[in-house]
């Protein structure tokens, strides 16, 4: 995975509560044998009208947000299905960060593995950022969101290891395989204690 | 030693290495793959050139893309995409040497139905799957949770996962359930109370008199929807009822190993005095059957209530307004006046034998309303065989239900035959378009679905005076 230390760009507001991953990418875009072109399904039901044409009322169809790299979301963003196609579709569309008051746990985890920085900020802050508009910088190095127009900063927290994965573009599997000796030793001990856990 | 919760005991026993800042490298006892996300996991592992760490502990199960139409042969009616993806799941499982539960296998069925049924999931095991409803397996005292594709590939390559320890919440259900009120109503009530985001960051232990009284199958239903309040994990500490359920299952330990396992499992219960980060109590003594009216599982009400007016803080209000518009409902309308087009019993939430028995007993001698399409999809081949041996299929058919082949049905990706209809469903998600384009879903228990199918509108099974 490539390293990601910061993202600067326009933030698109989609402040609905409980945006589920079915809405981020509907199931029918996941039944395929390739991971390319996922972005074509991004928010498909909300982005298109019944006749299949783009809905100009949907935020991501508006010219101002065509190049948006950051998404502002509502509470419990990314709840529901565990599909990693959701952050992957966001990434393919050019998003590298989602800022929301809270996230579905599985989606939050998936973001790091898909090269997206999930940022938790208080709801009033997210709403204020949406009102202000303009460019934001999300810094993984400083764990802070900067409003480019005013220089105003908002700090956030990231789990240490997942943050390092983003910053250094670490291959998580390779990292775990460096612990092979620990895994082997654990399994020898554990197999004696819980033989039924090993088939 | 400090008193510990069930979750702490299972977590601690699986820590291979502490990676700092709360993150651990955890031993994963079972990895379950399915034909949609599981195919991607296997594809990505093979692309990386890495090997499977522990093939015997990995199961590839085909459930999502199956067509369940009545009398369908296992390979009938698949879309070209399903042919491709199911083919991929089967081919890669064989190449990687993991156990494949193929479409025409007599053990086939929905992952979260067959994992307990076959004893693949056992108490105290960590079980992961690229499916958010893996928390279902908490019903037998396993710690199961949904993961993404990258995490799945990580588990396939290492049989371990990097995971941050969540906070612990205990939800105690007090009292005794009344007639026609079930585990589904308990979990809907909880989600309505704490909200669709109320469990985020928590592992939820379900406890209390009402939980202890539930059958193992009902506990699976309860745990299935933990993720609908955004908790990755939901579980019931295992007890004698669970051990009895598991004894003799295909992958359960046998002989001396069984006795050793049961001794170990008995030690997993939460210790007296263990501290939880959050506690919640719900008295279910007076609980009525629950049904959702909106597009989030938190949009729930008693079956005899009215559609509530949007209220609460602005976000929740906006969500409720949007939901009412999508659902084509007006605030103040009695739920019993909501006419339904389709009634559906199935999915990993409520497609087990006990669910089908309850619904069939209620339906005996009754007929589905003429305008309603009623569908029953057993959760596994075993559930279907057992139901047919008891004659439940005949009861469903006589009442006017379609009796399908097993599979994920209208929740999985093989669906698509529904469009622009109102469904009362035993599934777990009422999200926009979940059961087909512009479908409007009302979540409910199998009994509520059966009663609504007969009435033609949302109905209270208690009014018919059944058991």
């Amino acid at each position: 995975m490539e390293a990601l230390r910061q993202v600067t760009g326009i933030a698109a507001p989609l402040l609905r509560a409980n945006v589920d991953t079915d809405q981020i990418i509907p199931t029918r875009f996941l039944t395929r044998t390739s991971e390319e072109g996922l972005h074509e399904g991004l928010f498909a039901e909300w982005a298109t009208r019944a006749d299949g044409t783009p809905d100009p009322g949907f935020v991501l169809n508006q010219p101002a947000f065509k190049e948006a790299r950051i998404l502002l979301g509502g509470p419990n963003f990314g709840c529901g299905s565990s599909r990693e196609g959701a952050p992957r579709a966001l990434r393919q569309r050019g998003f590298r960060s989602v800022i929301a008051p809270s996230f579905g746990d599985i989606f939050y985890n998936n973001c790091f593995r898909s090269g997206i920085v999930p940022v938790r900020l208080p709801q009033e802050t997210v709403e204020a950022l949406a009102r202000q508009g303009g460019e934001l910088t999300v810094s993984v190095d400083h764990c802070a969101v900067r409003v480019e127009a005013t220089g105003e900063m908002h700090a956030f927290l990231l789990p240490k290891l997942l943050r390092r994965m983003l910053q250094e573009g670490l291959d998580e599997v390779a990292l775990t395989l460096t612990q092979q000796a620990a895994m082997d030793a654990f399994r020898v001990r554990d197999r004696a204690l819980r033989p039924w856990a090993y088939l | 030693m400090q008193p510990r919760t069930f979750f702490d005991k299972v977590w601690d026993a699986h820590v291979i290495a502490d990676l700092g800042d709360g993150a651990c490298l955890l031993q994963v006892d079972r990895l379950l793959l399915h034909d949609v996300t599981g195919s991607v996991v296997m594809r990505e592992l093979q692309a990386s050139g890495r090997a499977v760490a522990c093939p015997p502990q990995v199961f590839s199960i085909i459930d999502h893309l199956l067509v369940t139409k009545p009398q369908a042969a296992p390979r009938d009616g698949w879309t070209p995409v399903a042919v491709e993806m199911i083919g991929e799941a089967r081919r890669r499982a064989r190449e990687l040497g993991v156990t494949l539960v193929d479409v025409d296998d007599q053990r086939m069925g929905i992952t979260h139905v067959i994992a307990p049924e076959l004893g693949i999931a056992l108490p105290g095991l960590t079980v992961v799957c690229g499916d958010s409803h893996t928390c279902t397996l908490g019903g037998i005292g396993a710690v199961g949770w949904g993961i993404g594709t990258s995490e799945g590939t990580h588990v396939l390559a290492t049989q371990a996962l990097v995971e941050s320890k969540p906070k612990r919440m205990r939800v105690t259900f007090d009292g005794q359930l009344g007639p026609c009120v079930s585990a589904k109503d308990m979990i809907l009530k909880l989600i309505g109370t704490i909200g669709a985001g109320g469990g985020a960051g928590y592992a939820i232990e379900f406890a209390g008199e009402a939980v202890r009284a539930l059958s193992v199958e009902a506990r699976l239903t309860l745990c299935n929807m933990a993720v609908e309040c955004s908790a990755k994990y939901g579980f019931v500490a295992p007890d004698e009822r669970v051990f009895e359920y598991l004894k003799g299952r295909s992958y359960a330990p046998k002989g001396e190993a069984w006795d050793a396992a049961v001794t170990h499992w008995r030690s997993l219960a939460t210790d007296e005095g263990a501290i939880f980060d959050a506690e919640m109590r719900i008295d279910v003594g007076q609980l009525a059957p629950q049904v959702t009216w909106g597009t989030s599982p938190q949009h729930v009400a008693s079956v005899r209530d009215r559609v509530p007016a949007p209220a609460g803080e602005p976000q929740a209000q906006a969500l409720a307004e949007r939901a009412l518009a999508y659902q084509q409902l007006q605030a103040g309308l009695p739920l019993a006046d909501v006419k339904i087009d389709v009634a559906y019993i199935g999915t990993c939430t409520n497609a087990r034998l006990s669910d089908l028995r309850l619904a069939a007993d209620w339906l005996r001698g009754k007929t589905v309303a003429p305008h309603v399409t009623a569908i029953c999809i057993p959760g596994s081949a075993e559930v279907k065989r057992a139901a047919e041996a008891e004659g439940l299929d005949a009861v469903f058919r006589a009442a006017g239900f379609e009796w399908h082949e097993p599979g994920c049905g209208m929740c999985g990706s093989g669906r698509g035959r529904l469009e622009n209809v109102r469904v009362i469903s035993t599934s777990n998600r009422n999200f926009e378009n979940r059961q087909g384009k512009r479908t409007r879903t009302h979540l409910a228990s199998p009994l509520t679905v059966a009663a609504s199918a007969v009435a033609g509108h949302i109905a209270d099974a208690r009014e018919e005076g059944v058991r």
Side-chain angles (χ1 to χ4, degrees):
Chain A
M1 202 166 75
E2 71 188 270
L4 178 66
R5 309 189 76 114
Q6 70 166 42
V7 188
T8 299
I10 294 289
L14 184 66
L15 299 185
R16 290 173 198 172
N18 300 337
V19 169
D20 59 76
T21 55
D22 276 38
Q23 309 314 320
I24 300 174
I25 184 162
T27 310
R28 66 178 190 279
F29 294 97
L30 297 171
T31 48
R32 52 201 298 159
T33 48
S34 157
E35 289 291 289
E36 283 162 34
L38 288 173
H39 61 286
E40 288 159 21
L42 187 67
F43 294 111
E45 305 296 354
W46 294 348
T48 36
R49 292 188 288 209
D51 64 2
T53 59
D55 183 343
F58 183 64
V59 58
L60 300 187
N61 291 339
Q62 292 164 8
F65 300 115
K66 269 272 180 285
E67 304 295 322
R69 301 195 70 204
I70 299 163
L71 191 66
L72 299 172
N76 201 26
F77 189 89
C79 60
S81 162
S82 62
R83 60 191 67 182
E84 194 165 322
R88 287 181 179 183
L90 286 164
R91 164 95 191 253
Q92 286 184 15
R93 165 68 194 264
F95 288 103
R96 298 308 300 271
S97 179
V98 181
I99 305 175
S102 57
F103 292 91
D105 283 349
I106 306 174
F107 176 83
Y108 183 80
N109 247 332
N110 285 342
C111 279
F112 292 95
R113 277 107 182 164
S114 310
I116 292 206
V117 197
V119 173
R120 291 191 187 105
L121 286 180
Q123 188 159 330
E124 37 308 352
T125 309
V126 181
E127 285 168 4
L129 293 174
R131 275 195 306 274
Q132 289 163 11
E135 278 200 329
L136 303 177
T137 294
V138 175
S139 167
V140 181
D141 286 348
H142 300 108
C143 280
V145 175
R146 188 174 65 235
V147 182
E148 290 301 327
T150 62
E152 178 189 326
M153 302 278 273
H154 303 281
F156 59 88
L157 292 171
L158 291 176
K160 223 177 268 168
L161 186 71
L162 294 171
R163 174 169 170 243
R164 234 188 91 207
M165 264 172 57
L166 282 177
Q167 285 174 308
E168 298 174 28
L170 292 177
D171 175 345
E172 198 185 6
V173 178
L175 202 65
T176 295
L177 290 173
T178 64
Q179 305 255 7
Q180 192 64 56
M183 288 194 282
D184 293 342
F186 174 92
R187 285 168 194 156
V188 169
R189 282 195 317 272
D190 189 40
R191 194 185 277 268
L193 286 171
R194 303 185 307 139
W196 58 87
Y198 295 81
L199 294 172
Chain B
M1 201 172 189
Q2 285 272 83
R4 291 188 299 163
T5 69
F6 162 80
F7 185 80
D8 289 312
K9 292 180 191 182
V10 176
W11 178 278
D12 294 350
H14 286 81
V15 174
I16 296 167
D18 188 337
L19 306 175
D21 195 33
C24 290
L25 185 63
L26 278 190
Q27 167 73 4
V28 173
D29 296 318
R30 304 283 183 267
L31 169 64
L32 311 179
L33 302 166
H34 66 64
D35 44 337
V36 179
T37 61
S39 298
V40 185
V41 167
M42 291 190 279
R43 191 190 304 159
E44 295 189 352
L45 180 88
Q46 289 188 309
S48 77
R50 291 187 168 113
V52 180
C54 305
Q57 280 158 259
V58 182
F59 293 79
S60 177
I61 296 157
I62 293 163
D63 56 7
H64 275 58
L65 294 162
L66 298 175
V67 173
T68 65
K69 271 187 323 203
Q71 319 291 319
R75 288 171 176 77
D76 276 2
W78 293 357
T79 62
V81 170
V83 169
E84 216 178 327
M85 284 200 86
I86 293 174
E88 185 181 9
R90 302 166 69 214
R91 176 171 56 83
R92 292 189 192 274
R94 292 206 185 95
E95 287 167 2
L96 294 174
V98 306
T99 302
L100 172 68
V101 182
D102 209 342
V103 291
D104 39 16
D105 193 307
Q106 57 161 354
R107 305 169 299 172
M108 66 79 68
I110 305 173
T111 299
H112 313 310
V113 174
I114 69 170
E117 202 172 78
L118 298 174
I120 294 170
L122 297 168
L125 297 192
T126 49
V127 187
V128 298
C129 175
D131 188 299
S132 60
H133 293 108
T134 312
C135 54
T136 308
L137 307 175
I140 57 151
V143 171
W145 69 96
I147 57 172
T149 305
S150 306
E151 289 176 309
T153 307
H154 184 282
V155 177
L156 202 49
T158 65
Q159 203 60 35
L161 191 62
V162 178
E163 185 76 3
S164 291
K165 194 168 181 180
K167 290 184 285 186
R168 277 76 76 204
M169 181 192 294
R170 176 162 57 192
V171 176
T172 305
F173 289 97
D174 297 309
Q176 288 178 7
L177 291 175
C180 301
V181 186
S182 67
K184 183 64 161 283
D185 303 301
M186 290 163 65
I187 188 67
L188 285 172
K189 177 69 184 174
L190 173 68
I191 299 164
T193 306
I194 68 173
Y202 288 102
I204 301 183
E205 174 163 349
F206 299 107
E209 179 191 1
V211 173
R212 287 286 146 225
L214 292 177
S215 70
V216 172
E217 294 194 348
R219 294 177 192 183
L220 294 163
T221 299
L222 183 73
C223 294
N224 173 272
M225 289 185 71
V227 73
E228 306 309 334
C229 59
S230 269
K232 249 159 82 170
Y233 328 75
F235 40 79
V236 177
D239 59 11
E240 300 304 317
R241 194 169 278 206
V242 169
F243 311 147
E244 194 182 313
Y245 170 91
L246 286 170
K247 191 160 192 184
R249 305 262 168 191
S250 306
Y251 290 94
K254 308 277 184 316
E256 278 176 35
W258 170 261
D259 297 334
V262 170
T263 304
H264 177 82
W265 296 339
R266 282 197 185 111
S267 73
L268 294 176
T270 292
D271 296 329
E272 191 88 26
I275 308 284
F276 288 81
D277 300 285
E279 292 261 15
M280 167 94 207
R281 292 196 98 94
I282 293 184
D283 193 318
V284 297
Q286 301 300 317
L287 187 67
Q290 304 285 300
V291 63
T292 62
W293 50 265
T295 56
S296 162
Q298 77 184 27
H299 292 152
V300 69
S302 295
V303 74
R304 292 192 202 181
D305 279 355
R306 292 167 186 271
V307 176
E313 44 91 33
Q315 284 273 5
Q317 219 176 95
L319 183 71
E321 276 161 16
R322 196 187 152 81
L324 287 182
Y326 179 87
Q327 293 283 80
Q328 301 172 16
L329 291 175
Q330 303 282 331
L333 182 77
L335 281 163
D337 287 356
V338 177
K339 201 173 151 188
I340 53 142
D341 306 305
V342 178
Y344 171 40
I345 296 174
T347 80
C348 58
T349 321
N350 277 123
R352 298 182 181 82
L353 185 61
S354 54
D355 298 314
L356 271 43
R357 272 185 190 147
L358 274 173
D361 280 354
W362 200 94
L363 287 166
R364 229 175 274 274
K366 299 192 182 77
T367 312
V368 168
H371 69 274
V372 172
T373 301
I375 299 167
C376 179
I377 309 185
S380 71
E382 176 55 33
V383 170
K384 182 168 183 268
R385 277 192 300 272
E388 289 179 352
E390 292 180 18
L392 303 185
D393 59 322
V395 178
F396 278 108
R397 284 207 197 89
F401 266 78
E402 296 175 13
W403 177 251
H404 282 220
E405 298 299 318
C408 286
M410 292 200 291
C411 216
S413 316
R415 70 184 193 275
R417 64 196 212 100
L418 297 182
E419 192 174 332
N420 196 21
V421 290
R422 188 179 298 281
V423 190
I424 188 153
S425 172
T426 63
S427 56
N428 41 45
R429 289 197 170 134
N430 51 348
F431 299 160
E432 293 179 16
N433 305 296
R434 177 71 183 183
Q435 292 182 298
K437 240 183 163 25
R438 296 191 302 285
T439 51
R440 301 174 293 283
T441 300
H442 298 271
L443 304 175
S445 74
L447 268 175
T448 304
V449 171
S452 303
V454 169
H457 52 79
I458 293 176
D460 185 344
R462 297 173 302 179
E463 286 176 0
E464 294 281 338
V466 291
R467 68 185 198 198

